[in-house]
Amino acid sequence: MTMTTSPESAPPAVPEPARALFPVTRGRVKGYERAAVDSFLSHARDAFESPGHPSMTSSQIRAAAFPLARRGYEITSVDAALTRIEDAFARRERDAAIARVGTDVWIARTRRDAQTVLDRLQRPSRRRFQRTGPLRYGYRIDEVDFVMNKLARYLETGTGATIEQVRGVAFRMQRGGYREVQVDAVLDAVVEIMLAVE
């Protein structure tokens, strides 16, 4: 005997999962939590499409961080997309600032910001940033100083470093190393200067 089910008693259909925006990790490899990335990108899209009421900036995009999870989005794919989005926001911010204050003022501000960063980078090696305590870890001093020398040359000559290199820089850790927050702030400032003069 065949049994049929009336529409009223049929179980609800399971919705198809939304198509992933990026490749998804497999096995034990973790990636960015998909819901967190989707929510952030939705917010970024809304902010970009409403230029009169910006609720997100290029620096906020650069600082974005997501929890890690299995079956998450591949990190490199998301990071590449965030770089493109940051560039788009930065171009819009630059154009808006130039329209507001004029090209000459914009250039003067960018030069002033570059000089401020350069003054920091021209401090003596091993004394450019505050250090952590002897029992705490910070960025490895010799590696940071090497990168900062390259960035100082870039700010002086406009050559020797690319924005991709600055964005991708990573340091090993050591006890009593440079404080991460200070080093990261300078790297962010250099990225903003590079975006301003692209």
Side-chain angles (χ1 to χ4, degrees):
M1 176 176 162
T2 302
M3 297 186 65
T4 60
T5 315
S6 66
E8 291 78 11
S9 60
V14 177
E16 289 293 322
R19 185 171 178 268
L21 297 176
F22 302 96
V24 175
T25 60
R26 298 178 180 276
R28 296 184 178 180
V29 178
K30 292 185 177 182
Y32 289 144
E33 187 179 83
R34 293 163 65 177
V37 174
D38 290 346
S39 175
F40 183 86
L41 293 182
S42 176
H43 182 196
R45 182 179 60 250
D46 292 343
F48 194 79
E49 291 175 352
S50 304
H53 303 281
S55 55
M56 185 175 289
T57 65
S58 58
S59 59
Q60 289 174 319
I61 295 168
R62 184 164 60 254
F66 307 104
L68 297 178
R70 289 188 179 180
R71 297 287 297 165
Y73 287 138
E74 288 184 0
I75 291 173
T76 54
S77 297
V78 176
D79 285 350
L82 290 175
T83 294
R84 293 191 296 271
I85 295 169
E86 179 192 347
D87 288 347
F89 272 80
R91 283 192 297 270
R92 188 176 73 176
E93 291 162 5
R94 179 187 59 201
D95 292 345
I98 290 173
R100 187 171 60 254
V101 303
T103 303
D104 291 343
V105 173
W106 170 256
I107 292 173
R109 285 181 180 175
T110 302
R111 285 178 176 166
R112 185 186 64 232
D113 293 343
Q115 187 61 53
T116 299
V117 175
L118 183 58
D119 291 344
R120 154 80 71 165
L121 300 185
Q122 289 177 331
R123 293 179 181 181
S125 294
R126 307 187 68 82
R127 293 170 54 190
R128 288 187 169 111
F129 303 95
Q130 292 180 357
R131 298 195 190 184
T132 62
L135 300 179
R136 301 190 66 179
Y137 282 91
Y139 286 146
R140 186 164 165 171
I141 293 170
D142 60 341
E143 294 180 355
V144 173
D145 281 344
F146 177 80
V147 170
M148 295 304 158
N149 287 338
K150 293 189 67 173
L151 296 182
R153 286 195 295 273
Y154 167 81
L155 293 174
E156 290 174 327
T157 67
T159 61
T162 67
I163 194 168
E164 289 78 14
Q165 289 171 332
V166 180
R167 282 170 166 158
V169 71
F171 304 109
R172 288 177 292 179
M173 307 295 283
Q174 70 172 75
R175 292 184 188 274
Y178 282 143
R179 291 187 181 277
E180 297 171 54
V181 65
Q182 289 192 335
V183 177
D184 290 345
V186 168
L187 292 174
D188 283 347
V190 172
V191 168
E192 290 185 4
I193 291 167
M194 289 176 153
L195 288 170
V197 299
E198 274 191 342

